[in-house]
Each structure stands twice: as C-alpha cells, then as structure tokens.
Amino acid sequence: MKIGIIKETKIPVDNRVALTPSQVALLNEQYPNHNIVVQSSDIRAYTDEEYRQNGVEIVDDLSDCDVLFGIKEARIESLIPNKHYIFFGHIAKMQSYNRPLIQAMIEKKLTFSDYEYLVDDDNQRVCAFGWWAGVVGVYYTLRGYGLRSKLYTLPKPDITFTLDELLNNLCSVTLPAVKLLITGNGKVSQGAQYVLNFIKARHLNEDEFLSTKQVDSISYAVAKAESLVKRKDNRPFDSIDFRTNPQDYKSDFMHWAKNTDILICAHYWAAEAPVYLTSGELQDKELRIKMIGDVTCDIMGSIHSTVRSSTHAEPYYDYNPITKSEETAFSNINNISVMAVDTCPNALPRDTSKYFGEMLIKHVFTPLLEGNESSVIERSTILKEGKLTDRFSYLNDFAIGN
C-alpha cells in the first residue's frame, strides 16, 4: 500500500498535517512493505526539508497512492478519481457549501472517510482536535478582551506558536477581575478549563457565579446542558432525550447572560436545539456579556451574534445588537465583540499535528497497514467507490441536490 499526505488546499489556509515528519519515518520503518509519502507544500507547520531530514520522500504527484490523508476539505480540482480520501469533510450534517464536494466525490467514484466520525464502539470520537480548540479559544478570547479594554496585550500566534508559549503569555499579564462562563462539558470545554486552571482563575460553582455580582480576580463557571435549557413541558432534564429530541427544550440562558462578562461557547449544538441568545435577547439592557468566544462557531446558531466565522488573520469583529449587524472589531463600547475562528487548533499547528498524528497511528494507520478490518474506519466511511454507505444513506437527497 502507498499512502500520501496531501497538501492543504482550502482557503483560508490550514497549517496542520495528519502526520509529523518523525511519525511518517516511524511508520515507514515499522511497515517496510508499505510506503508513506508527503506532497510538497509551502504552508505546512512542518517544512518539506524537515520531512526529507527524516528520510521521507517528498513528491508533487500522488496519483500512484492508494489512500490520501489531509486535514481540511480538499479542493475539488485536486481530487484524483478512484482513490480513498480521509479528511474533515464537513458534509455529513448536510452543509450546503460542501454539496459540490460530495457531488464531485460521487462522480469521481471516491471512497471517503471523515475524521469526525472516527468513533469507538461506545460512539466516542477517537481522533479530534476539540481539547485544543478550547485551549486556543480561551487564549484568543482573552486576547480580544485585552484589545477591547486596552488593559493588557497578548501576542498574536504565529506558525511556530506552542502550548507552552500560550500559557506563559497568559501568566505574564495581569488579567482583570471578570466573570467568564464556559458552556458545555466536553473536550472543548475541558481544554478551556485547563487553561483557566493553569493561570489560577477562580472556579465558581453555579450558585456562586449567579449570586456574585463582582469578583476580585478572574473567575469562571461551567454551565452544562442541564443548566442551559429546560423542557417545554417542565419535566426533568434528560441528557439522552435532549440529544435525541432537542426541539422539546427551550433556552434557560438569560440568567447566566445577566451575570457574565465573557462567554466561551464550547457546547454541542444542533439545528433543532433552542437558541440561547436570540438577536432580540442580545438587545436586553440587562445583558452583561461584552466579549464572546464562539469556539464551536455555529453561524447564526445558538448565539445570534455569530454572524460569520472569522480567521486567524482577523479573529475578531463586533456585533451591533441594535442594528443586528457586524461592525469593525472594538469600534464601539456598546457593541459585543466576537471571536469566531472555526479552526482554532491551527494556531498551534505543530503541537496539534503531533497529537492528532498519535491518535491516527493508533486508530487508523495501524489497522490499515496491518491489513486488519477496522470498525472505526468502517463507521467513518461516507462513500465507497462513489456510493453512499448505509450509515450515511440519509445524505442521498442532499447529494443529488434536492
């Protein structure tokens, strides 16, 4: 088997890679009957020369490869017919902007597996960047609050930025006494909590957070789903039911919003779920929130100030709650400032690539190179030779344009 690591072609660019130079070298040594090559790229956090120094072959043409790994969606023009591609496809939730992508995959008779659906027997994801998204999301949000308030300055990450630098930068400034709320309790939330605990932010329970108007140091609370919504029929909250029937719930978020300075959105949200902050609620005079880090970046989703995603080059914009429209970042103290970078882990591309590669080696590359049947890969496969698999057959109308 010959495997290729493709260069990233999505705009804005992504600097991450599925395997680091040392990881490719290790796999090529352990499985000499197979070969992993890397497509030349000038945007990766790891350079072509670093791969060459590890004995990895750099190529331009991947047409002789059997399986092709990337990070983000590959550009349609780059797709090679009859190959097996694995990357984050952003297709399975019927994202309309990627309908042309799945249509091209079908036409080119591709097999396609999506990292997002690499799950174990308990349906838990085994290869994800969520924790890192929470880490970077907090940093970007606190950096934005510094720019808004002009109280402190944090450096903007570059391609060599590391987790240690991020944490040291936060420890080097005096952060204001503000109340920060993290929504959700999954991997994204855990990453955000890790950073706040590292900088010794004070952790408040729900009662403490809601009853304390002012704090004497940066403080935070975590709001799980049962604190964010209520059943419409007033029956007790049930987490499994909420996931299955989100339409039966209504938002109970305003009591949080009236007691929060900075909001970090780290919760899972589905289109049928209640909106936590509507455009009307964002006009409420009792709303205290002035900075929102929407790490999950659901456009006009649970928080209606997220009117679009932002980029690493320009991570921030303002939302004017009166006009319900976007304005220049930090242009008016009455606006709400928004951080909505939808690829937060790319701010730490070397660290996150190493972490992700370790997970891929364990759950994907090892069974693939050893020739074993893998239920993990099978469950993540949306297309086989251009045909939808049974698990993803619900995408048929979406794929044909209905």
Side-chain angles (χ1 to χ4, degrees):
M1 184 182 295
K2 189 169 185 179
I3 294 173
I5 306 298
I6 66 175
K7 65 182 179 183
E8 297 300 313
T9 54
K10 186 175 181 179
I11 303 297
V13 299
D14 198 301
N15 308 117
R16 292 170 292 175
V17 67
L19 292 173
T20 69
S22 61
Q23 289 169 343
V24 177
L26 178 64
L27 288 172
N28 280 337
E29 180 182 350
Q30 289 180 334
Y31 301 98
N33 292 331
H34 305 290
N35 186 31
I36 303 174
V37 300
V38 174
Q39 191 172 28
S40 179
S41 169
D42 59 359
I43 65 168
R44 277 194 199 103
Y46 293 93
T47 65
D48 287 358
E49 186 55 33
E50 286 179 279
Y51 282 98
R52 289 192 185 97
Q53 289 172 359
N54 279 268
V56 179
E57 183 182 0
I58 299 295
V59 301
D60 291 315
D61 183 10
L62 296 173
S63 59
D64 61 346
C65 290
D66 304 294
V67 187
L68 300 164
F69 285 81
I71 294 293
K72 303 296 281 187
E73 305 98 309
R75 196 184 49 195
I76 289 174
E77 295 76 15
S78 72
L79 296 173
I80 305 170
N82 306 308
K83 302 295 182 183
H84 186 173
Y85 279 86
I86 305 180
F87 51 72
F88 285 108
H90 302 291
I91 286 170
K93 295 178 184 176
M94 294 184 276
Q95 292 95 323
S96 58
Y97 60 90
N98 272 338
R99 177 180 277 138
L101 177 60
I102 190 171
Q103 290 175 335
M105 288 176 166
I106 291 171
E107 182 183 347
K108 293 174 183 280
K109 294 182 170 52
L110 298 184
T111 296
F112 171 62
S113 304
D114 194 321
Y115 292 138
E116 188 168 354
Y117 299 94
L118 290 167
V119 296
D120 61 20
D121 293 338
D122 296 321
N123 205 39
Q124 297 298 307
R125 292 181 65 181
V126 295
C127 297
F129 288 102
W131 187 88
W132 294 92
V135 166
V136 174
V138 166
Y139 183 84
Y140 266 152
T141 305
L142 290 176
R143 178 174 177 266
Y145 192 82
L147 292 169
R148 177 188 171 92
S149 64
K150 299 181 173 60
L151 293 173
Y152 58 91
T153 302
L154 289 167
K156 186 176 184 178
D158 61 27
I159 199 170
T160 64
F161 215 61
T162 66
L163 176 60
D164 287 343
E165 283 181 84
L166 180 152
L167 296 171
N168 290 335
N169 288 339
L170 285 171
C171 290
S172 70
V173 299
T174 301
L175 296 169
V178 292
K179 294 171 67 180
L180 186 149
L181 180 68
I182 303 170
T183 57
N185 63 336
K187 293 292 187 182
V188 179
S189 174
Q190 291 165 23
Q193 292 176 59
Y194 172 84
V195 173
L196 293 171
N197 290 335
F198 187 92
I199 64 174
K200 296 180 168 53
R202 184 183 172 198
H203 185 191
L204 304 176
N205 62 36
E206 181 172 342
D207 289 339
E208 290 171 329
F209 190 90
L210 294 176
S211 63
T212 305
K213 287 297 180 185
Q214 301 297 330
V215 291
D216 54 14
S217 64
I218 182 169
S219 304
Y220 78 96
V222 179
K224 300 178 182 179
E226 56 263 38
S227 299
L228 299 172
V229 298
K230 290 181 177 179
R231 278 191 61 97
K232 292 177 180 177
D233 59 10
N234 294 320
R235 287 166 56 194
F237 175 87
D238 182 277
S239 59
I240 296 175
D241 181 63
F242 179 54
R243 286 273 180 161
T244 308
N245 302 296
Q247 70 279 358
D248 293 339
Y249 291 76
K250 61 183 179 180
S251 172
D252 189 29
F253 189 70
M254 277 306 293
H255 68 298
W256 288 105
K258 293 174 182 179
N259 289 280
T260 299
D261 299 305
I262 300 174
L263 173 63
I264 303 288
C265 298
H267 57 270
Y268 172 82
W269 187 80
E272 303 82 13
V275 175
Y276 296 152
L277 280 177
T278 65
S279 55
E281 288 167 332
L282 287 163
Q283 296 175 343
D284 193 312
K285 294 188 184 303
E286 292 188 72
L287 185 78
R288 185 164 154 177
I289 298 169
K290 289 301 180 183
M291 182 84 210
I292 297 177
D294 194 347
V295 185
T296 52
C297 198
D298 293 306
I299 309 303
M300 289 300 289
S302 62
I303 310 292
H304 277 182
S305 53
T306 306
V307 296
R308 65 170 176 87
S309 60
S310 56
T311 65
H312 292 276
E314 299 290 341
Y316 312 105
Y317 57 84
D318 272 8
Y319 174 81
N320 185 323
I322 305 303
T323 63
K324 305 177 184 179
S325 60
E326 177 186 338
E327 294 185 0
T328 303
F330 319 121
S331 58
N332 190 317
I333 61 171
N334 295 316
N335 287 344
I336 297 169
S337 298
V338 177
M339 188 291 299
V341 176
D342 63 356
T343 57
C344 277
N346 196 40
L348 302 175
R350 292 176 74 95
D351 283 352
T352 53
S353 293
K354 181 176 181 293
Y355 165 83
F356 194 64
E358 290 170 354
M359 298 300 101
L360 284 180
I361 288 171
K362 178 179 179 180
H363 297 286
V364 177
F365 281 97
T366 297
L368 196 64
L369 295 173
E370 291 183 355
N372 298 328
E373 290 291 326
S374 170
S375 58
V376 172
I377 298 174
E378 184 74 16
R379 281 189 287 263
S380 73
T381 301
I382 295 176
L383 293 170
K384 279 190 177 179
E385 298 178 354
K387 297 184 185 302
L388 288 167
T389 60
D390 289 344
R391 190 174 185 216
F392 295 92
S393 59
Y394 69 88
L395 291 172
N396 185 64
D397 287 350
F398 170 74
I400 64 177
N402 289 347

